[in-house]
């Protein structure tokens, strides 16, 4: 017996609803990522995500294609340390008492001179004026100025004790910058690693995560960028950092073509050293033994020889300006070694061609 119209009607409506749902999925694609958002992404940026990297803590992973030379990211430093900041701090602290005393003397001399000139009409130096100067400078204006100075120093001492006893010790030369940071910014610094010995400090975090203020690894001035600090090390980096003085920002460029899913690597040290020296330096400064592909290959002895030869030839090419023919031959050999070693360093290649 066929079903009655009253039974068919609900079935028809359910069929129509199901057809509409299926059609919507087919038009928009079977994308169900909204159901389970990725839980391991710490932060997302235009072009990369910060997320856990096996054995390395957090790392940066590309979310789009980059061509060699592309700007990946630029960031304004959260803290800047100039190589002469500590010296300036010491000089300032050492010169303050002398400056305060000099100020007191100048004020005292001006006051005594004015009084004597008003009373006697003569501003010549006399035993009386000298005695008055001593009394006023040390017992009057000088005492008030020095008392004000000592009060200021006491407040500074209390601030230093506060920085020393807080969650992170902040060195005096960085305290003015630290005080200007928001709570969120301070926390982003505290979340970074400290590979130095002892308790975690701002100095240790800075040494572990900062970039040279320039393209050279050996530059003494350095900057701390909490996002770029998430780029891990490789002895064949795919990215290179560069300080832009005009914008006041640290920039990260692609060394080579990068595809989505690739981890973005930079270099913490001179990668043209031998594997043993590279590992020793990384272990000493950053407390890890590098296991990147360049350090894990079977023919490491040949790789060490090539890298050391690359460094030697690079130096010779840069010093061959007076002998172009010799420089050209050295450059050809150098480019061949770079190709054999598979080094991504396009700046090295470009410098060889420019020379």
């Amino acid at each position: 017996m066929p079903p009655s119209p009253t039974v068919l009607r609900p079935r028809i409506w359910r069929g129509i609803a199901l057809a509409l749902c299926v059609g919507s999925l087919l038009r928009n694609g079977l994308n169900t990522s909204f159901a389970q958002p990725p839980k391991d992404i710490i932060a997302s940026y235009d072009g990369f995500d910060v997320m856990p990297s096996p054995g390395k803590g957090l790392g940066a992973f590309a979310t789009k294609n980059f061509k060699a030379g592309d700007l990946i990211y630029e960031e304004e430093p959260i803290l800047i340390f100039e190589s002469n900041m500590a010296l300036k701090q010491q000089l300032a602290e050492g010169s303050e008492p002398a400056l305060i005393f000099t100020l007191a003397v100048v004020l005292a001399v001006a006051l005594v001179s004015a009084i004597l000139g008003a009373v006697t009409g003569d501003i010549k130096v006399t035993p009386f004026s000298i005695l008055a100067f001593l009394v006023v400078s040390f017992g009057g204006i000088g005492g008030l100025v020095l008392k004000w100075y000592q009060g200021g120093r006491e407040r500074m001492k209390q601030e230093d004790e506060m920085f020393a006893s807080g969650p992170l010790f902040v060195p005096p030369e960085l305290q003015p910058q630290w005080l200007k940071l928001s709570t969120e910014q301070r926390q982003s610094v505290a979340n970074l690693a400290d590979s130095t010995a002892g308790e975690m400090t701002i100095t240790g975090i800075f040494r572990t995560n900062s970039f040279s203020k320039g393209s050279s690894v050996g530059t003494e001035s350095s900057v701390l960028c909490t996002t770029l600090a998430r780029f891990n090390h490789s002895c064949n980096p795919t990215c290179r950092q560069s300080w832009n003085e005009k914008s006041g920002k640290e920039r990260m460029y692609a060394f080579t073509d990068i595809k989505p899913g690739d981890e973005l690597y930079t270099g913490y040290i001179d990668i043209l050293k031998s594997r043993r020296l590279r590992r020793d330096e990384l272990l000493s400064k950053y407390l890890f033994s590098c296991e990147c592909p360049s350090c894990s290959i079977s023919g490491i002895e040949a790789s060490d020889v090539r890298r050391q030869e690359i460094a030697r030839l690079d130096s010779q090419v840069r010093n061959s300006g007076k002998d172009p023919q010799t420089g050209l031959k050295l450059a050809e050999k150098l480019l061949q070694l770079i190709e054999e070693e598979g080094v991504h360093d396009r700046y090295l290649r470009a410098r060889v061609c420019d020379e």
Side-chain angles (χ1 to χ4, degrees):
M1 180 178 179
S4 66
T6 56
V7 175
L8 283 173
R9 193 173 293 113
R11 293 181 181 178
I12 292 172
W13 285 116
R14 285 198 296 268
I16 293 173
L18 179 61
L20 290 173
C21 290
V22 171
S24 176
L25 286 173
L26 291 175
R27 285 194 304 271
N28 298 315
L30 298 175
N31 183 7
T32 59
S33 60
F34 59 85
Q36 292 184 348
K39 298 180 180 180
D40 53 354
I41 294 179
I42 306 302
S44 292
Y45 302 89
D46 181 19
F48 66 95
D49 290 333
V50 174
M51 54 195 300
S53 178
K56 308 184 191 82
L58 297 179
F61 293 82
T63 56
K64 68 179 183 180
N65 290 307
F66 289 102
K67 293 291 185 182
D70 285 352
L71 175 64
I72 296 176
Y73 190 70
E74 62 178 355
E75 181 178 4
E76 185 176 349
I78 200 167
L79 293 171
I80 300 177
F81 182 83
E82 302 287 357
S83 57
N84 59 351
M85 282 178 65
L87 178 60
K88 285 182 178 179
Q89 181 76 15
Q90 294 172 3
L91 291 175
E93 291 178 353
S95 62
E96 281 179 0
L99 291 173
I100 295 299
F101 180 76
T102 301
L103 176 62
V105 170
V106 171
L107 290 174
V109 170
L111 180 60
V112 170
S113 298
I115 294 174
L116 292 178
V119 173
T120 66
D122 185 6
I123 59 172
K124 292 181 180 180
V125 177
T126 64
F128 173 76
S129 66
I130 294 175
L131 178 63
F133 157 71
L134 293 175
V135 171
V136 173
S137 62
F138 289 102
I141 294 177
L144 291 174
V145 173
L146 288 175
K147 184 176 181 180
W148 166 80
Y149 166 76
Q150 291 170 353
R153 293 301 300 172
E154 182 62 28
R155 287 192 297 273
M156 290 178 64
K157 181 179 179 182
Q158 293 174 357
E159 288 180 356
D160 288 344
E161 292 175 351
M162 175 189 70
F163 281 113
S165 61
L168 290 172
F169 171 74
V170 183
E173 56 268 23
L174 291 178
Q175 289 175 10
Q177 296 181 61
W178 184 258
L179 288 172
K180 296 178 181 178
L181 300 182
S182 65
T183 302
E184 292 76 13
Q185 288 175 315
R186 294 182 188 183
Q187 188 58 50
S188 69
V189 175
N191 289 339
L192 297 175
D194 179 358
S195 62
T196 58
E199 295 183 0
M200 179 177 284
T201 64
I202 293 298
T203 302
I205 292 174
F206 212 103
R207 289 176 178 173
T208 305
N209 300 277
S210 63
F211 289 102
S212 299
K213 194 179 177 183
S215 59
S216 172
V217 174
T219 305
E220 293 183 2
S221 300
S222 53
V223 296
L224 181 65
C225 302
T226 54
T227 298
L228 291 178
R230 297 303 183 183
F231 285 55
N232 287 317
H233 167 83
S234 171
C235 294
N236 193 7
T238 55
C239 309
R240 178 187 178 93
Q241 59 87 11
S242 179
W243 172 254
N244 186 276
E245 190 67 37
K246 185 176 181 179
S247 65
K249 294 181 179 180
E250 192 76 14
R251 293 179 172 178
M252 191 70 73
Y253 292 92
F255 253 163
T256 186
D257 293 346
I258 298 170
K259 62 182 184 298
D262 290 347
E263 181 164 2
L264 303 172
Y265 290 107
T266 187
Y268 295 173
I269 60 171
D270 180 3
I271 64 170
L272 295 181
K273 295 179 179 180
S274 67
R275 181 180 68 173
R276 181 182 63 81
L277 292 179
R278 297 197 306 267
R279 281 184 166 176
D280 287 347
E281 185 174 353
L282 290 168
L283 187 61
S284 172
K285 291 182 178 180
Y286 303 102
L287 302 182
F288 72 87
S289 179
C290 187
E291 298 295 338
C292 73
S294 295
C295 289
S296 305
I297 60 175
S298 57
I300 191 61
E301 294 81 6
S303 175
D304 285 347
V305 171
R306 282 193 296 268
R307 293 194 179 220
Q308 292 171 21
E309 186 67 4
I310 288 172
R312 186 184 69 83
L313 290 175
D314 180 44
S315 177
Q316 289 185 351
V317 168
R318 285 186 280 116
N319 295 321
S320 63
K322 296 181 179 180
D323 189 354
Q325 292 299 324
T326 301
L328 182 59
K329 292 180 180 179
L330 291 171
E332 290 176 349
K333 185 177 180 181
L334 177 53
L335 288 171
Q336 181 182 353
L337 284 173
I338 292 174
E339 196 68 31
E340 291 176 2
E341 183 62 16
V343 177
H344 295 314
D345 195 334
R346 296 181 67 88
Y347 289 89
L348 176 58
R349 296 170 188 257
R351 186 170 69 237
V352 172
C353 295
D354 289 341
E355 296 291 342

